[in-house]
Amino acid sequence: MAAPESGDGNNGAARMVTLISSDNTRFEVEAAAASLSQTLQLTILDGGGGGGDGIPLPNVDSATLSKVLEYCIKHAPAAANGGAPNATAVDRAELERFDNEFVNIDQSVLYSLIMAAHNLEIEGLQSLVAKKVADMIKGKSPMEIRRTLGFPDPTPEEQAEMNAHMLEYGWAYE
Amino acid sequence: MMVAFDTASETFHEMTPPPVSKNNRVNILAMGGLLVAADFGTDKRIIDLWFFEDYGVDGRWERRHRLDTGPIYYGQLRLPPAGDDSWLTIPNRAVAGTDEGDIILRVANAIVVHNVKTKTLRVMELANETATVLISPFVFRESLVQHQLATKFALDQLAWGAAAAEKDGTPQAAIIHLPDDTIADILLRLPTSSILRSGAVCKPWRRVTTSPHFLSAHHARRRTGSVSVILHTTVDGAPWPGRGNNLPPRRITVPRGGSTGTGSPRRGKKVTRQWAQLPLLHGDYRSHDQEYAFFFHQSSGEFRLLCRNMARRIWFVVSTSAAQPRQLVENIDAAEFIPWLPMMVSAPVVPLHGNLHWSP
């Protein structure tokens, strides 16, 4: 198993840590991958999460955590190379393809990922999911945004506010 | 040294600072058309209020009030007695003045409201708050209520999301129920016009996109390209909040009466908001520029941004109706300015009588 250098000073076989989701599912993952989370990084550097202990994550359910870890495992080698200065164009294209495919998901899953990425402070994932939602919003009218994101129909009051807003800021709607 | 900037002639001039020791922490604010300096002395417990009389003619500082905040308790801790050096590490600030004669001060981890007319003092403790409290005077002026973006992952927001979901029938795990800080993170990635349209989507999004914190972050992100600002103006034309890089406060409510806790938010001046596109900064202006103040230029009716280019050591003005930034004639010794520059960025600017003022 050719594990990438974890970057935390360990050599030889990659160190593994155990993460425990809110519904008590245990995930064993390379420390290097879990360390993409700023929240987890310190605990892992302190030697936590090894052996039978495991790090409990009461805010993340197993479905979301497995998705998050899929991202971390994919991105860990590039992150360990310090942002992959020597990554080939093929590697980068592959990561990009992965990212695009990764966020091609249901809005409720997207919601869980946004929350988890913020909770765990995984910078790359935070940007990826935020960018995805931003792309869903970009260029749309307020009403189209509401429909796209599945907001309930506006109340008459909200509708009136939207109309007033459009009159006031006409240039932004051009 | 105390610096002021004349917004009509766009020149700097020195003002007489209040006659206090250089070591004292002094903060200025405007109240009822007067410039007021709060002098926290050296023990930070006795606060002198200096008023600038006869502005523009034969201005002079006069000490009109001295208040003793007494020992302030916060959390489980009692502050050390006067004279103890650990006091000095506690940042104190005069936050704002109101037309009713209230001066809002931050002393240690409490908000102290002194009324200069009734000479009464109210101490509002911030319960269980031991971390540094960040206070923006502009938030106080607007509403005196908590800045939404200050709450990072607050549980009550999640609870609110669940309650709202029950009410409107959308699934709980829907984008509409994301907390404000994650919404801000998403919307910050959009171009200006999309952000503006997003403000019309719903009330929480409006709140996010018009908060000073968001605008400042948006501005910072766009600095290398086109610069956009939201122009907040009061009905009498004064810009609000004046500048962008003030941090939001934690949960604070200052009620009208004497008690702490709930109470209707203070009615501020009516604030209108409009968007305007500032010209593209390019070439030499692209980096190392820092905005110092945002002001209304009376004779042209324009809103202008006073900036300084750190690398080239020049002041320039960006305005809504000019295609290019305009360099200002340096009318004050640049070398004298240098030590003051960092402070001028971090302290709020006080606009009064056509001049912008920075604390001495």
Side-chain angles (χ1 to χ4, degrees), chain A residues 165-174, chain B residues 191-197 218 228-230 274-278:
Chain A
H165 193 272
M166 200 185 289
L167 281 177
E168 195 177 352
Y169 302 108
W171 67 264
Y173 290 84
E174 281 157 17
Chain B
T192 307
S193 60
S194 276
I195 290 179
L196 184 55
R197 285 198 295 261
H218 172 58
S228 315
V229 292
I230 277 198
Q274 64 182 101
W275 282 72
Q277 198 84 22
L278 288 177

Side-chain angles (χ1 to χ4, degrees), chain B residues 4-13 328-329 331 355:
Chain B
F5 179 79
D6 184 326
T7 56
S9 63
E10 297 187 323
T11 52
F12 285 97
H13 55 271
L328 296 182
V329 179
N331 73 314
N355 288 311

Side-chain angles (χ1 to χ4, degrees), chain B residues 5 29-36 55 350-357:
Chain B
F5 179 79
L29 53 91
M31 194 187 70
L34 288 173
L35 205 57
V36 182
Y55 192 101
V350 178
L352 192 69
H353 303 311
N355 288 311
L356 307 173
H357 307 83

Side-chain angles (χ1 to χ4, degrees), chain B residues 20-47:
Chain B
V20 300
S21 161
K22 258 171 72 177
N23 299 322
N24 291 7
R25 176 186 284 272
V26 178
N27 225 188
I28 57 164
L29 53 91
M31 194 187 70
L34 288 173
L35 205 57
V36 182
D39 168 17
F40 288 87
T42 48
D43 75 356
K44 317 283 189 211
R45 178 171 146 175
I46 310 287
I47 300 158

Side-chain angles (χ1 to χ4, degrees), chain A residues 107-108 110-112 114-115 118-119 121 126-127 129-131 133-135 137-142 145-146 149-152 157-158 161-162 165 168-169 171-174, chain B residues 152-153 158 168 170-179 181-182 185-187 189-194 196-203 205-206 272-277:
Chain A
Q107 276 189 33
S108 63
L110 195 55
Y111 170 90
S112 307
I114 292 171
M115 297 300 280
H118 274 257
N119 254 329
E121 292 180 70
Q126 274 177 277
S127 319
V129 288
K131 180 89 179 18
V133 182
D135 285 342
I137 294 169
K138 202 184 283 178
K140 292 198 169 76
S141 73
I145 295 171
R146 288 185 72 108
L149 299 181
F151 287 18
E157 184 204 356
E158 281 176 318
E161 265 185 44
M162 275 190 210
H165 193 272
E168 195 177 352
Y169 302 108
W171 67 264
Y173 290 84
E174 281 157 17
Chain B
K152 191 173 196 271
F153 260 107
L158 295 179
D168 66 27
T170 55
Q172 193 183 330
I175 309 263
I176 191 174
H177 303 310
L178 284 173
D181 59 341
T182 55
D185 190 35
I186 291 165
L187 300 181
R189 290 159 206 276
L190 292 166
T192 307
S193 60
S194 276
L196 184 55
R197 285 198 295 261
S198 301
V201 166
C202 57
K203 280 220 171 73
W205 287 30
R206 172 88 55 118
T272 60
R273 298 188 172 90
Q274 64 182 101
W275 282 72
Q277 198 84 22

Side-chain angles (χ1 to χ4, degrees), chain B residues 111-177:
Chain B
I111 299 290
V112 174
V113 181
H114 175 74
N115 191 286
V116 297
K117 291 173 186 157
T118 60
K119 297 204 165 61
T120 51
L121 190 74
R122 281 138 58 201
V123 178
M124 256 137 285
E125 276 188 54
L126 308 176
N128 305 321
E129 193 68 73
T130 48
T132 308
V133 186
L134 304 166
I135 294 170
S136 158
F138 310 119
V139 173
F140 274 96
R141 248 176 234 153
E142 166 82 325
S143 61
L144 293 179
V145 294
Q146 180 195 20
H147 193 296
Q148 289 298 321
L149 283 177
T151 332
K152 191 173 196 271
F153 260 107
L155 284 173
D156 56 349
Q157 276 186 329
L158 295 179
W160 174 85
E166 224 167 79
K167 215 175 106 200
D168 66 27
T170 55
Q172 193 183 330
I175 309 263
I176 191 174
H177 303 310

